[in-house]
């Protein structure tokens, strides 16, 4: 005589229940993930955004072009960058601060930056946010070119992360 609920079916059933319970806990925990339509987020009437070149309040040259490039890349990814020049609003940015320091781990350095983003329509600031973060990089084997390449790669990763976070903050409605 076979049992209808043998040990194998109990494992499958308990795994399913445990997975469903975990999903409910994650959904109720306020982890920041949510389902929204592609065009949700920006204020009513804003479908296309222009992203002029950033301002640069640091002594580091060319940061404005790096941050502008990653902001435009993010706007292209979400389908909001205006390609015709006719924009419903402008997304203005300024690189406020950049710093570089050693870490406690040997041969590693940390680069940190802060930027301000403003969503502007008809001369009025609709939304504003300041984003900041840091990224670690390896100095390398002592070759100055290797160290600079590693620093630039870390700065690229940091700028991309900050611009994605900045757009998400501006487009967030809650």
């Amino acid at each position: 005589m076979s049992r209808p609920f043998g040990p194998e079916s109990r494992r499958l059933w308990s795994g399913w229940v445990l997975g469903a319970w975990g999903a409910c806990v994650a959904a109720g925990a306020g982890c920041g993930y949510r389902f929204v339509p592609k065009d949700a987020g920006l204020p009513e009437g804003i479908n296309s955004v222009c992203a002029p070149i950033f301002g640069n309040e640091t002594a580091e040259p060319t940061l404005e072009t790096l941050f502008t490039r990653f902001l435009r890349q993010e706007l292209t990814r979400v389908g909001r960058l205006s390609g015709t020049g006719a924009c419903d609003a402008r997304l203005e940015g300024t690189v406020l601060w950049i710093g570089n320091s050693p870490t406690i781990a040997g041969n590693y350095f940390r680069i940190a930056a802060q930027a301000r983003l403003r969503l502007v329509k008809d001369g009025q600031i609709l939304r504003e946010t300041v984003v900041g973060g840091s990224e670690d990089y390896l100095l390398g084997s002592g070759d100055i070119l290797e160290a600079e390449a590693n620093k630039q790669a870390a700065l690229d990763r940091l700028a991309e992360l900050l611009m994605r976070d900045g757009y998400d903050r501006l487009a967030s409605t809650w």
Side-chain angles (χ1 to χ4, degrees):
M1 178 168 168
S2 67
R3 294 191 285 184
F5 294 106
E8 293 165 7
S9 64
R10 277 192 204 124
R11 273 192 298 237
L12 291 175
W13 179 254
S14 65
W16 182 85
V17 169
L18 187 60
W21 179 80
C24 289
V25 167
C31 59
Y33 291 102
R34 61 191 171 126
F35 295 104
V36 294
K38 180 181 177 184
D39 59 345
L42 291 177
E44 188 97 11
I46 297 179
N47 295 316
S48 63
V49 177
C50 288
I53 197 85
F54 268 51
N56 186 359
E57 295 182 358
T58 72
E60 187 83 21
T62 70
L63 279 183
E64 64 277 5
T65 57
L66 178 70
F67 278 79
T68 303
R69 177 170 49 106
F70 282 112
L71 177 63
R72 288 176 180 168
Q73 179 180 314
E74 181 63 18
L75 290 171
T76 301
R77 187 184 71 80
V78 297
R80 295 295 189 167
L81 184 64
S82 175
T84 62
C87 309
D88 298 327
R90 284 187 336 271
L91 192 49
E92 300 174 348
T94 305
V95 183
L96 301 173
W97 178 82
I98 188 162
N100 199 12
S101 64
T103 64
I104 59 172
N107 213 21
Y108 278 91
F109 266 65
R110 176 169 293 142
I111 192 159
Q114 190 176 50
R116 178 180 53 236
L117 295 172
R118 290 180 175 158
L119 185 63
V120 178
K121 183 175 181 178
D122 299 327
Q124 288 189 332
I125 298 172
L126 301 177
R127 294 184 182 164
E128 180 176 12
T129 189
V130 174
V131 291
S134 64
E135 185 75 29
D136 292 347
Y137 65 94
L138 183 62
L139 281 179
S141 60
D143 180 15
I144 188 71
L145 294 177
E146 181 183 9
E148 282 300 312
N150 290 346
K151 177 183 175 183
Q152 189 59 47
L155 188 56
D156 286 356
R157 290 189 307 269
L158 179 60
E160 182 177 14
L161 179 71
L162 292 181
M163 293 303 96
R164 181 168 288 164
D165 184 35
Y167 176 78
D168 287 346
R169 287 184 188 186
L170 290 175
S172 177
T173 56
W174 49 282

